[in-house]
Structures are given as structure tokens and as C-alpha cells.
Amino acid sequence: MKRNIFIVALEEKQLPMLETLRQSQHLNIHSLLTTDTAVEAEKFSFNEILNTAREKLKNFPETIDAIVAQWDFPTSVLVPILCKEYEIPSPSVTSVLKCEHKLWSRMEQSKVIPDVVPRYCGVDPFSDSPFDQVTLDYPFWIKPVKAFSSHLGFKIDNHEQFEIAIEEIRASISQLGDPFNEALEYADTPDDIKRLGGNVCIAEEIISGVQGAPEGTIFQGEFNVHGIISQPKSQLTNTLFDRLEYPSNLPEHVHHKMVDASKKFLEHIGYDNGCFNAEFMWNEAEDKLWLVEFNTRISQSHSEIFVMVDGMSNHEVAIDIALGRRPSLLNRQGIAPVAAKCFIPYEHKDGVVQKIPSEEDIQDIRSHFPHTDIKIDVQPGQRLSDLMHQDSFCYRLGTLYLAADDHEKIEEQFQYCLKALKFDIDHINE
């Protein structure tokens, strides 16, 4: 009898990756909610989405054997609530929200891994004088405690920039802050976090370096890392990070520090029977490691490159845990030793797309690099500012998936592709 696996906001393009799972022929994979509902909705109620998911599961005529998260909030909090209701192994909602609420997470991190935590402070953007709450020197970064990517994140160099940022934050923070407040009701929150809620910000000192991200699991108290991703900055673009590479080529001592810090924190908050990926930044000049954040799920952004290198999607470990099995992943049985997910950046102001790369352009690239996959996310006539979940400093026009024998060849392929992919975009002067 096949097991029924529900993956929140499963996309059709992911189905081939799920065929790499060990027991794929024994699994019925279902999508729970759509990306429009669970990922791309501009305005939503957490409780309404939760009830929609509950209704679909209630009306499902067979067994519900696993529910898997692969996206950020609201999915990351929906899944443990649903798993508890169906007695499926999953982390507690409180431990998840100790990672999801950026300020609450920093407070907990400071208790056990203070050496990797940047200086920070909470800022209520709706107070009479938000700047009086800032305890950091310029420059610093301010962002909501819950936001999509770098949306509503601002680098602050002076008081004028701070005031402008606060006005923008006040106007838009409730988009995620209000549903996040609904989610916080399901957790055992301390009084100070309950008082601040989800419509609050965190200010942090500026950190720099190369990003690294261990991805792993905790199953019945057993901690394991199945892969480490790095995010080098390309020599061809000015964006902060423009690709993910697997496996990481950061020094081994940095890998050990990232893994040790992840284990200490997750054990401290009681996180168990779940997946995680932790984002760090390593400053090579100072040999200093900083923690960016914890994500309480596998990353669907990593799935393709796990398949390319290991021969199996990271969904394997998430499904293992949900089915009550000790998680494990194949190792180095893919098509290449190194793989990368690269973003096609557009580092200018807003504009309207007039022309995108032709199929001939794409086929020419594939003739040089056969394992390359190219996904263009814009269409002629589309305005860039209408794209969902973009960083505040750069638009992403699409994604490249590259495979190579080493990291240097990945860089060469990336540069070749960026030069070969021609976009025509009319700037909009505001």
C-alpha cells in the first residue's frame, strides 16, 4: 500500500526531482495548498490558510502519512500544527517560532552561541520615537522580524535614511506582521515577545563575508548534517550573493564551527524531529563567523543541486522523518562533483521587460554546457517591480542550474551564461 505524502505548495517542476527518492514508487505525492496561496499571496490570514489546509486533509479519503514543509512562513508554521493534529513526527510550534521570529531567535541564540551573534536591538516602528530604541552605531541594518527575503530591509547610514525606512516599514510591515501575530498565538511565547508581536523590527550591526549554510536534521534527538552550501559572490556582478554552490568549498574549520553552533542552538530550543538549514557568514580577513538565521525546513532552493551532486533530492530526509524513519541521503552519486544554482541579476532601477533570451540563445548555451538548466522568470511587457519576493537591491530575472568538475569551472560557466543571455529592459524613471 502506497504512503500518502503531502508537500505544501508543491510545484510541477519539482515532480522529476521527487522521482529520485529511494521509495518513490511506494509514495503518492500530493500538493497541499498552491504557491499562490502559501507562497505568493500579497495579503493573507494565517488562520484562513490553516483552515483551508485542514479542510483538504479532512476530505482526503485515504491515510495521511506525511506533511512536509519546503517554504518559509506561513508554511514553516502551518506544517508543525498540522503534523501534531495527525500525530506525524514534527518539531514543536514553539521551537519553530523561536527560529522564525528574528528578535526572539537572537535572544535565544545569545544564551548559547553568543560568539556568532551580531549586535542587535529591537525597534518598534510605531513608537513615538523609534530611533531612541537603537543602540547601534552607523551603519546598521533594519528589517521586520518577519519578512520575505530582504523585503523592507534597509541599510542605514544616517538619521535621514532611518526616518525614510521607518515610514516605508510602517506602511507595509503588517502584510506579514498581522498573519505572523496569528501564528504566534499557537506558541508558548514569553511576555516580552507577546507584547512586541509580529509588527516589530530588529536592527543589527552590518556583517560581511562569504555565506555558508549547513542543511540537516534532528531525529529523536540525533543531530545530523547531510550537506553544506556556500554562497560565493561572482566576479561579474555587484550583487551581495548571486549563487548557491554545493558542496561548499569553505575551509573545514569553518564547516565545523557552523555545524557546532547549529547543534548547540537547536538542542537549546528543543527542536526535534525536523529539518533545518542555517545561514552563516564567514569573514575570511578576520576569520570571524557570524550567524544570519535558522530556517526550520529543508530548502527547496537546494533540491536541484542536491540531485545534481548526490543523485537525490533533499525531500528524502524530510519524508523519512515524517514517516518515523532515521533520515539519510545518498552521497556523491549525481552527474557532477559540483553544482550551482545561479540567479540572473538585474542591478538597475525598475523597468519594463521588452525582450527575453530566445530559445536559440538557450540551446546555444546547452550545446556548450549540456547539464545546464535555464529558467526565465520574466516575460515581455512585465514590470520588474511587480515581481514577487525580490531583494531591495537587485531584481532576479531567472535562474541558472550549472554542473561542473570544480568551483572554478562553475564561475566560468556562470560568466559565459550571463554574457550570452540577452535581456532588453526599458528603464522607468521615478
Side-chain angles (χ1 to χ4, degrees), residues 28 43 76 105 107-108 144 164 183 307 309 402 418:
N28 282 326
K43 188 173 179 60
S76 53
S105 193
M107 292 164 61
E108 294 297 328
I164 293 171
V307 172
V309 173
L402 309 176
L418 289 186

Side-chain angles (χ1 to χ4, degrees), residues 66-208:
I67 307 172
V68 173
Q70 59 173 1
W71 299 96
D72 287 329
F73 181 79
T75 298
S76 53
V77 184
L78 286 170
V79 167
I81 294 173
L82 294 170
C83 285
K84 183 178 180 180
E85 294 173 358
Y86 283 89
E87 298 183 342
I88 294 170
S90 178
S92 69
V93 179
T94 297
S95 68
V96 167
L97 283 165
K98 283 181 180 179
C99 298
E100 295 285 333
H101 192 295
K102 294 183 187 299
L103 182 57
W104 190 5
S105 193
R106 286 300 193 209
M107 292 164 61
E108 294 297 328
Q109 293 161 18
S110 297
K111 296 176 182 178
V112 289
I113 48 173
D115 290 347
V116 298
V117 179
R119 290 180 299 123
Y120 68 93
C121 62
V123 178
D124 179 359
F126 297 102
S127 67
D128 292 337
S129 182
F131 189 75
D132 290 346
Q133 302 168 57
V134 178
T135 59
L136 308 175
D137 297 327
Y138 298 121
F140 59 85
W141 183 260
I142 189 167
K143 55 193 170 186
V145 295
K146 179 51 59 182
F148 290 123
S149 189
S150 296
H151 180 59
L152 295 183
F154 301 91
K155 182 185 177 185
I156 306 299
D157 292 306
N158 54 57
H159 189 264
E160 181 182 3
Q161 289 180 357
F162 180 84
E163 293 296 328
I164 293 171
I166 288 295
E167 287 305 309
E168 289 196 39
I169 289 169
R170 283 173 173 170
S172 301
I173 193 172
S174 62
Q175 177 185 356
L176 269 185
D178 286 352
F180 195 50
N181 276 332
E182 295 176 48
L184 287 169
E185 293 296 321
Y186 292 87
D188 181 15
T189 54
D191 290 341
D192 48 356
I193 295 298
K194 192 173 294 186
R195 174 177 52 82
L196 291 170
N199 287 310
V200 68
C201 293
I202 184 170
E204 296 187 340
E205 68 173 303
I206 303 293
I207 57 177
S208 62

Side-chain angles (χ1 to χ4, degrees), residues 31 139 146 163 198 233 339 349 368 424:
S31 181
K146 179 51 59 182
E163 293 296 328
K233 183 184 178 303
K349 294 183 179 180
H368 288 82
D424 184 5

Side-chain angles (χ1 to χ4, degrees), residues 318-329:
I319 293 173
D320 278 345
I321 290 177
L323 294 177
R325 302 188 302 224
R326 186 176 184 272
S328 65
L329 201 68

